């Protein structure tokens, strides 16, 4: 079961994420890499985790730049799944990129 979370609490547990600038309750983070290959490798790791937990982020990729938005559409807000995926993304970015 997916549980709704307070967006401020989730943001406090993540690195460099911000509230999305649209009307939704969502969080967003931008990433920059040396090249497209590294950006796409990063996205592949996220895709594998997203499939594992059945929670899929909104992703934008232009060459070496990646923007990720997390929200739970069924709840119209932030959930424990967003927090889990955000923490995973932070961890792999810090440790591998």
């Amino acid at each position: 079961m997916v549980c709704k979370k307070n967006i401020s609490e989730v943001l406090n547990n993540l690195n460099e994420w911000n509230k999305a600038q649209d009307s939704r309750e969502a969080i967003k983070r931008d990433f920059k890499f040396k090249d497209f290959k590294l950006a796409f490798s990063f996205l592949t790791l996220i895709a594998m985790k997203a499939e594992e937990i059945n929670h899929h982020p909104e992703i934008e990729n232009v060459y070496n730049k990646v923007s990720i938005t997390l929200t739970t559409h069924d709840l119209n807000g932030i959930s424990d799944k967003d927090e889990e995926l955000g923490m995973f993304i932070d961890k792999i970015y810090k440790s591998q990129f």
Side-chain angles (χ1 to χ4, degrees):
M1 182 174 171
V2 179
C3 298
K4 192 163 185 174
K5 302 277 288 204
N6 178 287
I7 194 168
S8 296
E9 290 175 16
V10 171
L11 287 171
N12 284 336
N13 293 328
L14 300 174
N15 298 316
E16 299 180 40
W17 291 80
N18 296 294
K19 188 173 181 329
Q21 296 298 312
D22 55 26
S23 61
R24 302 175 300 158
E25 187 170 315
I27 58 175
K28 183 176 181 179
R29 183 172 175 190
D30 298 321
F31 301 87
K32 189 172 182 181
F33 299 87
K34 180 181 169 190
D35 55 31
F36 177 76
K37 183 178 175 182
L38 287 174
F40 201 82
S41 296
F42 177 68
L43 291 176
T44 300
L45 293 171
I46 295 168
M48 300 301 288
K49 180 65 172 181
E51 281 294 302
E52 177 187 312
I53 66 172
N54 194 30
H55 190 67
H56 303 89
E58 298 173 17
I59 297 171
E60 296 176 42
N61 172 226
V62 178
Y63 184 60
N64 67 333
K65 296 176 185 157
V66 173
S67 294
I68 299 174
T69 301
L70 300 175
T71 190
T72 302
H73 298 101
D74 292 344
L75 297 177
N76 291 319
I78 299 297
S79 74
D80 53 337
K81 294 279 189 176
D82 298 304
E83 185 173 35
E84 178 182 359
L85 191 54
M87 291 174 81
F88 172 81
I89 291 166
D90 285 350
K91 180 181 173 183
I92 62 167
Y93 184 72
K94 183 178 180 180
S95 68
Q96 297 184 29
F97 300 95

